Amino acid sequence: MRIIAHRGAKGLAPENTIASIKAGAQSEADAIEFDIRLSSDGRLVLMHDASLERTHGVKRKVHHMRASEIKKVQSPEGHGVPTLEEALRAAGDKPLFIEGKRDAWAMPLAKHLRKHNKQNITVISFDHQTLDEFSDLCPEVPVYVLEHRNPFDAVNAARIYGFDGIDVNFWTLNPLVYWLAQRHGLEVTVYTVNKLWQARLLLKLYPKINITTDHPHILAVLKNTPAQ
């Protein structure tokens, strides 16, 4: 079981910011997750949504803006939008789960990881084809398919494409999906679990899962719980 800090550590600092990544790195989480999108000039930046409106109050889409424009944007709390390179530096040696958003991120991400020789990376995405493209470019990097509604679709996609694991909404995980994933040698990660009682129940039912959470400081107690 691994605890993965969601969007840096969203419960400790604003999501996908240097502050949240540093908070996740300093927490007892086993890994940090964050989202990447491609700017109009091919730079990877951290952003969950397609636009900057919710987090930064700017009604423009990431893929319509140059990285230099994005770097000028500040949130009401004074947080900018990090580049992937800045995020990797802030994370230090902490393992990472990088979620690729939209499309066209496979080649830029592969080039960046090769250039910086970054280890302990897992790449996740809802986009099966782009995830498969990335896996072909970096076969040594584990890749997990994301799924929000139907976890059977995640298992099926992982089997078809040869992915290493699935990453599903925790409400959708069920014993048959868990058994199928175990049978096919797939890692199972669930998101986003923010209550300790939910995490305890999930681990009782599915002891070999990884848990993504906004609150790694709360769920860290699970790391000291004896295995079932």
Side-chain angles (χ1 to χ4, degrees), residues 52-93:
L52 281 69
E53 183 174 6
R54 177 177 62 87
T55 55
H56 291 77
V58 176
K59 295 182 180 181
R60 295 186 65 188
K61 292 187 175 181
V62 173
H63 70 277
H64 290 163
M65 300 175 68
R66 296 177 63 85
S68 59
E69 295 178 284
I70 295 171
K71 291 302 294 178
K72 294 177 182 177
V73 174
Q74 294 284 310
S75 71
E77 301 83 10
H79 295 281
V81 179
T83 63
L84 175 59
E85 188 169 0
E86 291 169 336
L88 294 180
R89 285 200 302 267
D93 295 329

Side-chain angles (χ1 to χ4, degrees), residues 137-151:
L137 294 167
C138 293
E140 73 283 1
V141 177
V143 293
Y144 298 178
V145 61
L146 281 160
E147 174 56 45
H148 183 66
R149 294 181 179 84
N150 189 340

Side-chain angles (χ1 to χ4, degrees), residues 5 11 17 23 31 34 73 82 132 143 148 156 179 199 221:
T17 61
F34 56 72
V73 174
D132 185 46
V143 293
H148 183 66
N156 190 47
W179 178 81
V221 66

Side-chain angles (χ1 to χ4, degrees), residues 7 10 80 126 161 194:
R7 301 186 196 173
K10 186 182 173 184
F126 288 97
Y161 287 99
N194 288 329

Side-chain angles (χ1 to χ4, degrees), residues 61 92 101 130 132 135 157 169 190 200 221:
K61 292 187 175 181
K101 290 288 189 181
T130 308
D132 185 46
S135 186
N169 187 323
V190 295
R200 290 189 189 280
V221 66

Side-chain angles (χ1 to χ4, degrees), residues 2-66:
R2 289 182 289 175
I3 295 173
I4 303 163
H6 186 225
R7 301 186 196 173
K10 186 182 173 184
L12 295 171
E15 66 182 64
N16 286 322
T17 61
I18 294 299
S20 69
I21 291 169
K22 287 183 175 179
Q26 293 165 6
S27 74
E28 294 186 58
D30 299 293
I32 302 168
E33 184 264 1
F34 56 72
D35 308 286
I36 57 169
R37 287 184 180 271
L38 203 64
S39 68
S40 65
D41 54 343
R43 296 282 301 280
L44 290 168
V45 298
L46 271 61
M47 184 60 56
H48 176 272
D49 299 359
S51 84
L52 281 69
E53 183 174 6
R54 177 177 62 87
T55 55
H56 291 77
V58 176
K59 295 182 180 181
R60 295 186 65 188
K61 292 187 175 181
V62 173
H63 70 277
H64 290 163
M65 300 175 68
R66 296 177 63 85

Side-chain angles (χ1 to χ4, degrees), residues 84-85 88 92-93 96 109-121 138 140-141:
L84 175 59
E85 188 169 0
L88 294 180
D93 295 329
L96 299 175
L109 179 58
K111 288 182 177 179
H112 199 97
L113 296 182
R114 284 198 296 263
K115 177 181 176 181
H116 293 274
N117 194 29
K118 184 70 176 178
Q119 305 297 315
N120 295 320
I121 300 283
C138 293
E140 73 283 1
V141 177

